[in-house]
Amino acid sequence: MAGYLVNDERKVTTRRFIEMKQKGERISMLTSYDYTTAGIVDRAGIDGVLIGDSASNVMVGNQTTLPMTVDQMIYHARSVVNGVKRALVVCDMPFGSYQTGCHDGVANAIRMMKESGCDALKLEGGVEILDTVKRILDAGIPVMGHLGLTPQSINKFGTYAVRAKEEREAQKLLSDAQALSEAGCFAVVLEKVPAALAKQVTESIPVPTIGIGAGNYCDGQILVVADMLGMTQGFSPRFLRRYADLNSVMTDAIGQYVTDVKSGDFPNESESY
């Protein structure tokens, strides 16, 4: 099956994200962590690629995103950047790289941009990190916000359940989104929040909202690529739609390879020099 027909082959920029919202064009995003996958995702017509700190779970097998380091994120981001020609490439700032204050946040942000070559960075949190966000923006680095379920704060929340179902937290999320937008963030991810709240946020800020488990009213959507391709198992939240079953495809293919090697069928005469 061919990829999505892209009408505009120009490099996607943060400004294009905002223009897409203004035109009512939905924004598609996926995560990627390596050169090969990123190239496939980009050629399929995706608008934005996120090097998520979800690499901690998907690539390393950790239970949370917390162990990821700046060095590791730069490694994955550099790999992705090398594979992408059109999509906007955004990289997560990992836990501990900006929560300690503006100085560390700006220094780490500059290093990540210089050494990875990505287009923008994503930070989790609202008004608590607003000063750091402003300083990073002042340094000329585009920032994507992230509100709702923020996995770097999992030990604070104690659960991956839906956030902002109660009025007080919902109002805080709304004010956080407005503050991030006013500060200059070019987009805001909304993770695992009620669809009605996501709609309210989307209508209240001029920059696009990117949803994951936040309903269909957001300006765009993002999923973890290994989840939507069916490579992972045992993870099936309501918001996840699996577009393939690569776990089965890969298991069958590798199993056949093992059989062919064991039987002496591979390599055959035509596969030998």
Side-chain angles (χ1 to χ4, degrees):
M1 182 180 294
Y4 175 76
L5 180 61
V6 176
N7 295 320
D8 192 339
E9 296 288 348
R10 293 176 302 160
K11 169 71 177 176
V12 179
T13 64
T14 56
R15 182 175 180 83
R16 284 271 300 280
F17 261 44
I18 296 173
E19 290 174 350
M20 290 170 76
K21 174 176 179 126
Q22 293 170 344
K23 295 176 181 178
E25 179 182 354
R26 295 293 182 97
I27 299 168
S28 62
M29 292 191 70
L30 284 172
T31 65
S32 291
Y33 316 101
D34 65 274
Y35 168 82
T36 302
T37 304
I40 295 170
V41 167
D42 186 52
R43 290 190 294 274
I46 208 77
D47 299 310
V49 175
L50 172 69
I51 304 98
D53 56 6
S54 50
S56 179
N57 312 95
V58 177
M59 303 299 290
V60 186
N62 294 321
Q63 293 299 306
T64 72
T65 64
L66 302 185
M68 293 303 287
T69 67
V70 169
D71 286 341
Q72 289 172 319
M73 293 305 299
I74 289 172
Y75 170 82
H76 286 291
R78 182 75 257 172
S79 302
V80 168
V81 168
N82 287 341
V84 171
K85 293 183 179 179
R86 176 183 174 273
L88 180 77
V89 180
V90 184
C91 185
D92 271 339
M93 291 194 71
F95 178 71
S97 65
Y98 59 95
Q99 289 91 344
T100 52
C102 293
H103 182 271
D104 288 344
V106 174
N108 285 318
I110 290 173
R111 183 182 166 215
M112 291 178 70
M113 292 291 287
K114 284 173 66 71
E115 296 184 23
S116 74
C118 64
D119 302 312
L121 300 175
K122 179 167 75 64
L123 284 70
E124 295 182 7
V127 294
E128 300 84 0
I129 62 162
L130 194 60
D131 288 343
T132 300
V133 168
K134 289 178 179 178
R135 289 285 301 277
I136 293 173
L137 287 165
D138 287 343
I141 299 172
V143 174
M144 174 181 280
H146 184 152
L147 299 171
L149 176 62
T150 48
Q152 292 180 11
S153 301
I154 184 57
N155 290 328
K156 174 184 175 182
F157 293 147
T159 177
Y160 286 104
V162 176
R163 304 301 310 174
K165 292 194 293 184
E166 297 181 0
E167 181 66 19
R168 182 176 179 180
E169 187 178 354
Q171 287 302 316
K172 182 183 185 310
L173 188 146
L174 182 59
S175 62
D176 281 344
Q178 292 169 337
L180 290 171
S181 173
E182 291 171 2
C185 289
F186 72 91
V188 178
V189 169
L190 299 177
E191 181 168 359
K192 252 188 159 183
V193 301
L197 176 60
K199 182 177 187 290
Q200 188 178 3
V201 173
T202 300
E203 293 174 347
S204 69
I205 61 176
V207 300
T209 57
I210 309 296
I212 177 167
N216 197 33
Y217 297 109
C218 294
D219 298 299
Q221 300 291 331
I222 186 168
L223 287 174
V224 171
V225 68
D227 294 337
M228 61 83 68
L229 289 177
M231 297 175 71
T232 54
Q233 292 183 309
F235 179 70
S236 55
R238 180 187 300 184
F239 65 81
L240 175 60
R241 181 182 296 183
R242 295 192 187 276
Y243 286 81
D245 183 11
L246 292 196
N247 190 290
S248 295
V249 172
M250 294 172 71
T251 300
D252 291 346
I254 294 167
Q256 186 61 55
Y257 167 74
V258 172
T259 297
D260 291 349
V261 170
K262 297 288 187 181
S263 68
D265 180 70
F266 176 80
N268 59 31
E269 186 174 345
S270 68
E271 294 162 331
S272 304
Y273 295 97

